[in-house]
Amino acid sequence: MKVSNIRQQQFQEPLFEFSGACAGCGETPYVKLVSQLFGDRALVANATGCSSIYGGNLPTTPWTKNAEGRGPAWSNSLFEDNAEFGFGFRLAIDKQIDQASELVQALAGDIGDDLVQDILNSEQKDEADIYDQRERVEALKKKLRSLRTDDDRKKRQIESLLSLADMLVKKSVWIIGGDGWAYDIGFGGLDHVLASGRDVNVLVLDTEVYSNTGGQTSKATPRGAVAKFSAGGKPAAKKDLSLIAMTYGNVYVARVAMGAKDEHTLKAFLEAEAYPGPSLIIAYSHCIAHGIDMATAMQNQKAAVDSGQWLLYRYHPEREEAGENPLQLDSRRPKIPVQEYMYMENRFKMLRKSHPEEAKRLLKEAQNDVNTRFKFYQYLAARKMGDEE
Ligand SMILES: Cc1ncc(C[n+]2csc(CCOP(=O)(O)OP(=O)(O)O)c2C)c(N)n1
């Protein structure tokens, strides 16, 4: 199966199903995609918010396992420390990989050199590679169970390695939450984790409000939108979280909208996961709080992109290493005025009724934001690397 082709990829079994989210939720398709692509080896750290509520309606859970009994490990931490929580997963896994590798080397004489070398040198670059590593680890465990010794120290080493061996198969750490978590309350921790350089994948389900508590303004709320605490329309522009992350240079950053370009979304998830450092995906997620028809909400996503309100791009640090510009602008020049997108949604429309003059002023500013942003990103993406100017 060519997983980078959306038509083939959609045959992958989801390990996230029957959630309690609103019908037509804009967040769940991204969560489902993570579960399809990496679910049998993923660990999910979920910030409190809609995704932790529909994702952890205990005692039931929409997270499930495949026929081999493998599925994602999932846990929910606080709204204010989820990035750190997921970072802890990474540190713990890396420590266990180190311990397992040391034990494999210590027991090399009993295990057999070929298997030891194959296990320790496996790159696990893609799913086929990972499948091979799983087979090797199964062979390792079988071998360990068959070993007989009177040496107590060796016995302990064998027991330890049996309990750690599964860590030698590549794991995928996903730190997931909403914009209230990522842009506001958990931002300090998120920034810290991105700056660490460690291999984690952050998925921000950007509904542009605190959805789970009824739609309060966050720093992700766009200018001119009505939300709780912004009854007169949000006066300030949306914070550019991806730009902040790009300044590190070694963070993979993507901005996606499934309803606008599904294959682009898929590509970004695959690239983010394969990149061995921190990755940040900001995913446009429509929401009932927007005052839209949830049955056709993918069209709102498309209009957001067509108007330039939501830019699609990918910043890949490895392109820079190859002498290329790391930023690839995947959006075309805006082809509809931002007004056409905004007035598809009650969150913008209602301001015209309640504060018509202010609505006019904010609309003008919103169009100005779009124009400036597009030019700015076009400039960044057009830079030739190594230029003096
Ligand atoms: C420190 C703290 N403050 C407030 C809350 C209450 N709370 C729970 S979920 C949530 C909103 C989450 O919004 P967001 O991160 O945007 O995720 P969404 O619900 O939109 O997916 C809030 C304010 C909390 N759990 N912890």
Side-chain angles (χ1 to χ4, degrees):
M1 183 183 286
K2 198 176 166 206
V3 290
S4 59
N5 173 305
I6 196 95
R7 270 177 245 161
Q8 294 187 36
Q9 184 282 322
Q10 283 294 292
F11 286 109
Q12 281 189 297
E13 184 187 13
L15 298 177
F16 177 85
E17 50 183 10
F18 316 123
S19 79
C22 304
C25 172
E27 295 188 354
T28 47
Y30 298 110
V31 177
K32 174 190 157 211
L33 183 63
V34 170
S35 84
Q36 285 177 300
L37 291 170
F38 319 111
D40 65 354
R41 56 190 182 84
L43 290 94
V44 180
N46 206 150
T48 300
C50 284
S51 51
S52 75
I53 303 304
Y54 61 66
N57 241 335
L58 302 173
T60 66
T61 170
W63 296 95
T64 186
K65 56 194 179 186
N66 62 18
E68 284 88 51
R70 295 198 183 98
W74 179 93
S75 193
N76 161 228
S77 183
L78 302 173
F79 190 38
E80 61 269 37
D81 72 359
N82 188 56
E84 297 92 316
F85 183 57
F87 186 56
F89 289 12
R90 178 77 268 162
L91 297 184
I93 294 166
D94 287 349
K95 191 70 208 159
Q96 292 181 56
I97 294 172
D98 286 350
Q99 283 178 343
S101 304
E102 279 168 25
L103 287 167
V104 167
Q105 272 161 335
L107 294 167
D110 300 280
I111 299 165
D113 259 351
D114 285 352
L115 185 57
V116 167
Q117 290 314 318
D118 287 349
I119 286 177
L120 296 180
N121 297 326
S122 161
E123 284 197 40
Q124 306 190 64
K125 272 267 182 218
D126 54 31
E127 295 303 322
D129 246 14
I130 290 167
Y131 179 87
D132 288 344
Q133 181 76 343
R134 277 197 173 127
E135 302 270 290
R136 290 184 204 110
V137 169
E138 280 314 308
L140 168 70
K141 290 200 279 192
K142 205 168 156 203
K143 181 85 205 173
L144 290 172
R145 285 194 199 101
S146 72
L147 293 178
R148 299 283 170 265
T149 174
D150 294 328
D151 181 341
D152 278 348
R153 186 161 166 265
K154 196 178 257 188
K155 261 189 203 155
R156 280 198 303 276
Q157 286 177 322
I158 292 169
E159 266 170 38
S160 294
L161 185 51
L162 270 169
S163 77
L164 290 168
D166 286 334
M167 286 297 158
L168 295 164
V169 177
K170 188 181 173 191
K171 301 287 181 279
S172 188
V173 175
W174 285 85
I175 298 174
I176 299 179
D179 50 281
W181 158 68
Y183 286 70
D184 290 359
I185 314 289
F187 172 70
L190 176 71
D191 179 57
H192 205 60
V193 170
L194 292 178
S196 74
R198 303 293 280 255
D199 188 6
V200 294
N201 307 291
V202 180
L203 172 59
V204 181
L205 303 161
D206 194 347
T207 57
E208 308 193 313
V209 278
Y210 292 52
S211 299
N212 202 246
T213 39
Q216 291 80 16
T217 301
S218 79
K219 289 191 208 77
T221 305
R223 202 195 295 275
V226 172
K228 287 182 182 156
F229 304 127
S230 296
K234 169 121 178 284
K238 182 183 175 90
K239 169 175 170 178
D240 197 339
L241 182 61
S242 27
L243 191 60
I244 297 172
M246 278 183 229
T247 59
Y248 286 114
N250 64 342
V251 178
Y252 176 91
V253 184
R255 208 177 174 84
V256 302
M258 194 181 270
K261 266 195 193 176
D262 48 14
E263 204 139 302
H264 173 259
T265 303
L266 175 58
K267 209 184 272 181
F269 277 67
L270 289 169
E271 286 178 354
E273 207 274 337
Y275 178 60
S279 303
L280 172 70
I281 300 175
I282 303 185
Y284 184 105
S285 306
H286 58 255
C287 176
I288 51 164
H290 298 177
I292 54 169
D293 181 351
M294 296 293 277
T296 53
M298 285 301 192
Q299 289 170 16
N300 296 60
Q301 296 205 13
K302 186 168 180 318
V305 170
D306 285 347
S307 67
Q309 172 84 341
W310 188 272
L311 287 186
L312 303 178
Y313 50 81
R314 286 164 298 143
Y315 180 101
H316 201 321
E318 282 171 2
R319 273 200 291 266
E320 184 155 18
E321 285 160 27
E324 296 164 29
N325 189 318
L327 178 65
Q328 208 161 310
L329 185 54
D330 300 312
S331 268
R332 298 224 178 92
R333 182 178 291 284
K335 58 180 180 197
I336 59 170
V338 75
Q339 171 172 358
E340 213 172 292
Y341 154 70
M342 284 166 71
Y343 292 154
M344 286 168 77
E345 310 200 337
N346 279 343
R347 58 176 169 156
F348 298 108
K349 255 198 291 198
M350 59 209 286
L351 195 65
R352 273 199 309 198
K353 290 204 176 116
S354 61
H355 302 79
E357 282 308 310
E358 186 62 358
K360 216 188 262 178
R361 192 183 70 77
L362 288 174
L363 175 64
K364 208 170 151 200
E365 283 194 24
Q367 184 63 58
N368 197 31
D369 291 341
V370 165
N371 301 349
T372 315
R373 186 169 45 236
F374 190 78
K375 273 193 207 142
F376 178 59
Y377 273 89
Q378 211 177 21
Y379 166 76
L380 288 181
R383 276 178 316 146
K384 291 223 165 52
M385 304 317 287
D387 268 4
E388 288 298 306
E389 293 140 349

